[in-house]
Amino acid sequence: MVYYSPRIFKDAGIKDTSSLLAATIAVGITKTSFILVAIILIDKLGRKPLLYVGTIGMTICQFITGASLSLHIRGQMGAALTILSVCGNVAFFSIGIGPICWVLTSEIFPLRLRALATALGSIGNRVCNGLITMSFLSMARSITVGGTFFLYAALSALSVAFVYALVPETKGKSLEEIEMLFRGQSNLRRRGVELGEADHDIVLGK
Protein backbone atom coordinates (compact mmCIF):
# COMPACT_ATOMS: atom_id res chain seq x y z
CA MET A 1 0.00 0.00 0.00
CA VAL A 2 2.90 2.36 0.65
CA TYR A 3 4.75 1.54 -2.55
CA TYR A 4 1.73 1.57 -4.85
CA SER A 5 -0.60 4.00 -3.12
CA PRO A 6 -0.72 6.37 -6.17
CA ARG A 7 -1.86 3.44 -8.35
CA ILE A 8 -4.48 2.43 -5.79
CA PHE A 9 -5.80 5.98 -5.49
CA LYS A 10 -5.97 6.31 -9.28
CA ASP A 11 -8.13 3.19 -9.38
CA ALA A 12 -10.36 4.85 -6.79
CA GLY A 13 -10.97 7.71 -9.19
CA ILE A 14 -8.47 10.29 -7.92
CA LYS A 15 -6.92 11.82 -11.04
CA ASP A 16 -5.69 15.22 -9.88
CA THR A 17 -1.92 15.19 -9.32
CA SER A 18 -2.11 17.41 -6.24
CA SER A 19 -4.78 15.18 -4.65
CA LEU A 20 -2.72 12.06 -5.39
CA LEU A 21 0.33 13.64 -3.80
CA ALA A 22 -1.63 14.72 -0.73
CA ALA A 23 -3.15 11.25 -0.27
CA THR A 24 0.27 9.60 -0.64
CA ILE A 25 1.79 11.98 1.92
CA ALA A 26 -1.08 11.14 4.28
CA VAL A 27 -0.12 7.45 4.01
CA GLY A 28 3.51 8.24 4.90
CA ILE A 29 2.53 10.43 7.85
CA THR A 30 0.17 7.74 9.13
CA LYS A 31 2.89 5.09 8.96
CA THR A 32 5.40 7.19 10.87
CA SER A 33 2.88 8.33 13.51
CA PHE A 34 1.63 4.85 14.37
CA ILE A 35 5.15 3.41 14.61
CA LEU A 36 5.62 5.92 17.45
CA VAL A 37 2.37 4.67 19.00
CA ALA A 38 3.71 1.09 18.84
CA ILE A 39 6.94 2.16 20.56
CA ILE A 40 4.90 3.61 23.44
CA LEU A 41 2.50 0.67 23.79
CA ILE A 42 4.60 -2.42 23.07
CA ASP A 43 5.89 -2.83 26.64
CA LYS A 44 2.65 -1.61 28.24
CA LEU A 45 0.11 -3.78 26.42
CA GLY A 46 2.40 -6.57 25.25
CA ARG A 47 3.27 -8.04 21.89
CA LYS A 48 0.30 -10.34 21.39
CA PRO A 49 -2.50 -7.80 22.04
CA LEU A 50 -0.92 -5.38 19.54
CA LEU A 51 -0.58 -8.20 17.02
CA TYR A 52 -4.28 -9.02 17.45
CA VAL A 53 -5.28 -5.39 16.97
CA GLY A 54 -2.94 -5.02 14.00
CA THR A 55 -3.86 -8.20 12.11
CA ILE A 56 -7.62 -7.88 12.68
CA GLY A 57 -7.52 -4.20 11.70
CA MET A 58 -5.49 -4.96 8.57
CA THR A 59 -7.94 -7.68 7.55
CA ILE A 60 -10.88 -5.29 7.84
CA CYS A 61 -9.14 -2.42 6.05
CA GLN A 62 -7.91 -4.60 3.19
CA PHE A 63 -11.40 -6.03 2.73
CA ILE A 64 -12.87 -2.51 2.64
CA THR A 65 -10.22 -1.43 0.10
CA GLY A 66 -11.04 -4.44 -2.08
CA ALA A 67 -14.78 -3.80 -1.81
CA SER A 68 -14.43 -0.09 -2.56
CA LEU A 69 -12.35 -0.74 -5.68
CA SER A 70 -14.38 -3.74 -6.87
CA LEU A 71 -17.72 -1.97 -6.50
CA HIS A 72 -16.30 1.04 -8.37
CA ILE A 73 -17.56 3.55 -5.83
CA ARG A 74 -16.74 6.85 -7.53
CA GLY A 75 -16.76 10.46 -6.50
CA GLN A 76 -15.72 11.90 -3.17
CA MET A 77 -17.26 9.02 -1.21
CA GLY A 78 -15.26 6.36 -3.03
CA ALA A 79 -12.04 8.35 -2.85
CA ALA A 80 -12.48 9.07 0.86
CA LEU A 81 -13.33 5.43 1.64
CA THR A 82 -10.23 4.20 -0.20
CA ILE A 83 -7.92 6.76 1.41
CA LEU A 84 -9.27 5.95 4.88
CA SER A 85 -8.96 2.19 4.38
CA VAL A 86 -5.43 2.48 2.98
CA CYS A 87 -4.33 4.76 5.82
CA GLY A 88 -6.10 2.47 8.30
CA ASN A 89 -4.28 -0.58 6.95
CA VAL A 90 -0.93 1.22 7.19
CA ALA A 91 -1.77 2.34 10.75
CA PHE A 92 -2.67 -1.19 11.89
CA PHE A 93 0.44 -2.58 10.19
CA SER A 94 2.59 0.01 11.96
CA ILE A 95 1.33 -0.91 15.44
CA GLY A 96 1.28 -4.65 14.80
CA ILE A 97 3.21 -6.86 12.42
CA GLY A 98 5.43 -4.04 11.15
CA PRO A 99 7.53 -3.39 14.27
CA ILE A 100 6.66 -6.42 16.40
CA CYS A 101 8.00 -9.03 13.97
CA TRP A 102 11.46 -7.51 14.45
CA VAL A 103 11.09 -7.50 18.24
CA LEU A 104 9.90 -11.11 18.41
CA THR A 105 12.58 -12.31 15.99
CA SER A 106 15.23 -11.00 18.37
CA GLU A 107 13.52 -12.53 21.44
CA ILE A 108 12.13 -15.99 20.72
CA PHE A 109 15.20 -17.91 19.55
CA PRO A 110 17.53 -19.70 22.01
CA LEU A 111 20.75 -17.90 22.85
CA ARG A 112 23.00 -20.35 21.01
CA LEU A 113 21.06 -19.82 17.75
CA ARG A 114 19.86 -16.23 18.13
CA ALA A 115 22.34 -14.49 15.81
CA LEU A 116 21.85 -16.95 12.94
CA ALA A 117 18.09 -17.24 13.43
CA THR A 118 17.63 -13.47 13.60
CA ALA A 119 19.62 -13.07 10.39
CA LEU A 120 17.51 -15.73 8.65
CA GLY A 121 14.35 -14.06 9.95
CA SER A 122 15.47 -10.74 8.48
CA ILE A 123 16.23 -12.40 5.15
CA GLY A 124 12.83 -14.08 5.12
CA ASN A 125 11.13 -10.77 5.89
CA ARG A 126 12.90 -8.95 3.06
CA VAL A 127 12.36 -11.77 0.56
CA CYS A 128 8.62 -11.86 1.29
CA ASN A 129 8.47 -8.08 1.06
CA GLY A 130 10.16 -8.22 -2.34
CA LEU A 131 7.88 -10.99 -3.64
CA ILE A 132 4.73 -9.09 -2.66
CA THR A 133 6.07 -5.85 -4.12
CA MET A 134 7.10 -7.42 -7.43
CA SER A 135 3.92 -9.48 -7.81
CA PHE A 136 1.42 -6.69 -7.05
CA LEU A 137 1.15 -5.19 -10.54
CA SER A 138 0.91 -8.62 -12.21
CA MET A 139 -1.81 -9.70 -9.80
CA ALA A 140 -3.64 -6.40 -10.26
CA ARG A 141 -3.69 -6.97 -14.01
CA SER A 142 -4.86 -10.57 -13.58
CA ILE A 143 -7.52 -10.26 -10.86
CA THR A 144 -7.88 -6.44 -10.58
CA VAL A 145 -6.59 -4.27 -7.75
CA GLY A 146 -9.75 -4.93 -5.75
CA GLY A 147 -9.36 -8.69 -6.15
CA THR A 148 -5.74 -8.45 -5.05
CA PHE A 149 -6.80 -6.78 -1.80
CA PHE A 150 -9.42 -9.45 -1.18
CA LEU A 151 -6.57 -11.99 -1.43
CA TYR A 152 -4.45 -9.94 0.95
CA ALA A 153 -7.40 -9.74 3.36
CA ALA A 154 -7.68 -13.55 3.34
CA LEU A 155 -3.96 -13.91 4.08
CA SER A 156 -4.25 -11.32 6.82
CA ALA A 157 -7.13 -13.26 8.37
CA LEU A 158 -4.88 -16.34 8.43
CA SER A 159 -2.28 -14.29 10.28
CA VAL A 160 -4.83 -13.68 13.07
CA ALA A 161 -5.14 -17.45 13.51
CA PHE A 162 -1.34 -17.79 13.40
CA VAL A 163 -0.94 -15.21 16.19
CA TYR A 164 -3.57 -17.00 18.30
CA ALA A 165 -2.11 -20.48 17.87
CA LEU A 166 1.65 -20.01 17.69
CA VAL A 167 2.89 -16.61 18.88
CA PRO A 168 3.91 -16.46 22.57
CA GLU A 169 3.62 -13.39 24.76
CA THR A 170 7.12 -12.24 25.66
CA LYS A 171 6.24 -9.03 27.51
CA GLY A 172 8.20 -8.64 30.74
CA LYS A 173 10.24 -11.82 30.22
CA SER A 174 14.01 -12.00 30.01
CA LEU A 175 15.62 -13.75 27.05
CA GLU A 176 16.49 -16.68 29.33
CA GLU A 177 12.87 -16.94 30.56
CA ILE A 178 11.59 -16.95 26.96
CA GLU A 179 14.01 -19.79 26.12
CA MET A 180 12.73 -21.75 29.13
CA LEU A 181 9.15 -21.07 28.02
CA PHE A 182 9.81 -22.75 24.68
CA ARG A 183 11.71 -25.60 26.32
CA GLY A 184 8.79 -26.10 28.69
CA GLN A 185 6.30 -26.27 25.81
CA SER A 186 8.57 -28.73 24.00
CA ASN A 187 8.84 -30.91 27.10
CA LEU A 188 5.08 -30.85 27.58
CA ARG A 189 4.55 -32.00 24.01
CA ARG A 190 7.15 -34.75 24.46
CA ARG A 191 5.55 -35.90 27.70
CA GLY A 192 2.15 -35.90 26.01
CA VAL A 193 3.49 -38.23 23.32
CA GLU A 194 5.07 -40.49 25.92
CA LEU A 195 1.85 -40.63 27.95
CA GLY A 196 -0.11 -41.37 24.81
CA GLU A 197 2.22 -44.26 23.98
CA ALA A 198 1.95 -45.56 27.54
CA ASP A 199 -1.86 -45.52 27.39
CA HIS A 200 -1.68 -47.35 24.07
CA ASP A 201 0.55 -50.04 25.60
CA ILE A 202 -1.83 -50.44 28.55
CA VAL A 203 -4.79 -50.93 26.23
CA LEU A 204 -2.84 -53.61 24.32
CA GLY A 205 -1.93 -55.32 27.59
CA LYS A 206 1.80 -54.75 27.26
Side-chain angles (χ1 to χ4, degrees):
M1 282 189 166
V2 173
Y3 298 151
Y4 294 108
S5 54
R7 166 66 189 274
I8 297 166
F9 295 143
K10 281 184 180 179
D11 272 45
I14 303 174
K15 304 298 183 184
D16 180 64
T17 304
S18 298
S19 299
L20 281 173
L21 180 61
T24 304
I25 291 172
V27 172
I29 292 173
T30 301
K31 190 176 192 303
T32 304
S33 301
F34 279 87
I35 288 174
L36 297 176
V37 173
I39 291 171
I40 295 169
L41 295 180
I42 191 167
D43 283 325
K44 292 182 179 180
L45 298 181
R47 284 71 162 143
K48 204 158 182 174
L50 286 180
L51 281 175
Y52 277 134
V53 171
T55 50
I56 292 170
M58 286 173 62
T59 301
I60 294 169
C61 289
Q62 288 168 359
F63 184 85
I64 292 172
T65 303
S68 173
L69 296 174
S70 297
L71 296 174
H72 303 291
I73 302 173
R74 297 303 181 190
Q76 291 185 344
M77 180 180 176
L81 185 61
T82 302
I83 292 171
L84 285 174
S85 61
V86 169
C87 287
N89 181 75
V90 170
F92 284 117
F93 174 83
S94 296
I95 64 171
I97 286 178
I100 293 176
C101 72
W102 298 104
V103 175
L104 284 175
T105 301
S106 67
E107 290 179 336
I108 62 175
F109 296 110
L111 290 170
R112 60 190 176 84
L113 299 173
R114 182 160 295 135
L116 176 61
T118 301
L120 290 174
S122 299
I123 292 170
N125 187 305
R126 295 296 90 193
V127 168
C128 290
N129 181 285
L131 289 173
I132 291 172
T133 302
M134 291 185 291
S135 65
F136 176 80
L137 293 177
S138 298
M139 290 176 60
R141 284 192 292 267
S142 300
I143 60 175
T144 73
V145 177
T148 302
F149 280 108
F150 282 134
L151 176 61
Y152 291 163
L155 293 173
S156 190
L158 289 176
S159 73
V160 179
F162 179 87
V163 170
Y164 174 78
L166 296 174
V167 176
E169 177 56 76
T170 58
K171 172 192 171 187
K173 294 182 175 63
S174 67
L175 298 178
E176 291 75 14
E177 288 172 333
I178 294 168
E179 184 172 349
M180 292 303 297
L181 170 67
F182 278 99
R183 284 184 179 179
Q185 289 177 350
S186 178
N187 291 336
L188 285 173
R189 292 192 192 99
R190 194 176 300 113
R191 287 178 59 192
V193 171
E194 292 170 354
L195 288 172
E197 291 173 348
D199 292 341
H200 181 69
D201 291 343
I202 291 171
V203 170
L204 293 177
K206 293 182 180 179

